[in-house]
Amino acid sequence: MPDSFVSPQVEINEALVTGALLGRGLPSEAEHHLWEAGRSYHLDDIAERHLREAEALAPGHAAVLIGLYRFYFYKGRLAEALDVARRCIAKAAEEGNLPADWRQVQAGDAEFGRYENILPRFFLFSLKGYAYLQMRLGQTEEGRFAVQKLLELDPTDKIGAKVLLGVLDRMGQDDE
């Protein structure tokens, strides 16, 4: 896969991070550790320690999961980022009363087509990150299944899953 391909960002607004929908509020001490992790991003051990402290204070909170995902992804620790993407999918499924297995989620299970609905959007972006990471880690069929599920849930492709499908379709072709 080309190195110039940009990762799908987990685009979550402030309401998701600090609001009641996914986290029922982030404790201020955990928020402090997230800020410190960001400030010390260039110092891997220190940044990761702050992320783990935030996780201990707010286990399963969406803001912490997103912080961990981004840290691992941008540090090139893709297998760890994939683990966090799985946790994000599980969190969104649990909070949204969706099936635990993303493969069993159906379009009518949530308002996936309404981009302003934060919980379904978090699920879709988490699944998109999962698909992308599977592709990067060489699990292209699993990545393709996830992309196909994204397009089933979001047929108007508000989150850009067709870009990933295009990458999959071009894999192995000569760059002429």
Side-chain angles (χ1 to χ4, degrees), residues 62-112:
V64 174
L65 292 172
I66 292 165
L68 285 164
Y69 174 87
R70 287 180 172 172
F71 176 79
Y72 291 135
F73 182 86
Y74 290 112
K75 293 295 182 177
R77 294 166 60 178
L78 302 185
E80 289 160 296
L82 179 60
D83 179 58
V84 177
R86 286 183 180 114
R87 291 171 59 196
C88 288
I89 293 168
K91 169 85 173 165
E94 179 182 338
E95 295 288 330
N97 295 315
L98 300 172
D101 182 352
W102 61 264
R103 292 163 188 82
Q104 296 177 3
V105 176
Q106 300 297 312
D109 292 342
E111 292 185 276
F112 294 107

Side-chain angles (χ1 to χ4, degrees), residues 95-155:
E95 295 288 330
N97 295 315
L98 300 172
D101 182 352
W102 61 264
R103 292 163 188 82
Q104 296 177 3
V105 176
Q106 300 297 312
D109 292 342
E111 292 185 276
F112 294 107
R114 295 194 53 182
Y115 193 75
E116 66 275 9
N117 289 345
I118 294 169
L119 187 56
R121 186 171 71 189
F122 180 58
F123 179 85
L124 291 174
F125 274 106
S126 298
L127 187 56
K128 184 178 179 185
Y130 172 85
Y132 175 77
L133 288 166
Q134 290 289 3
M135 292 165 54
R136 286 286 307 266
L137 292 167
Q139 303 300 318
T140 56
E141 284 308 304
E142 180 70 1
R144 185 178 297 278
F145 290 139
V147 170
Q148 289 168 340
K149 178 55 74 170
L150 285 166
L151 291 170
E152 175 189 322
L153 300 176
D154 177 28

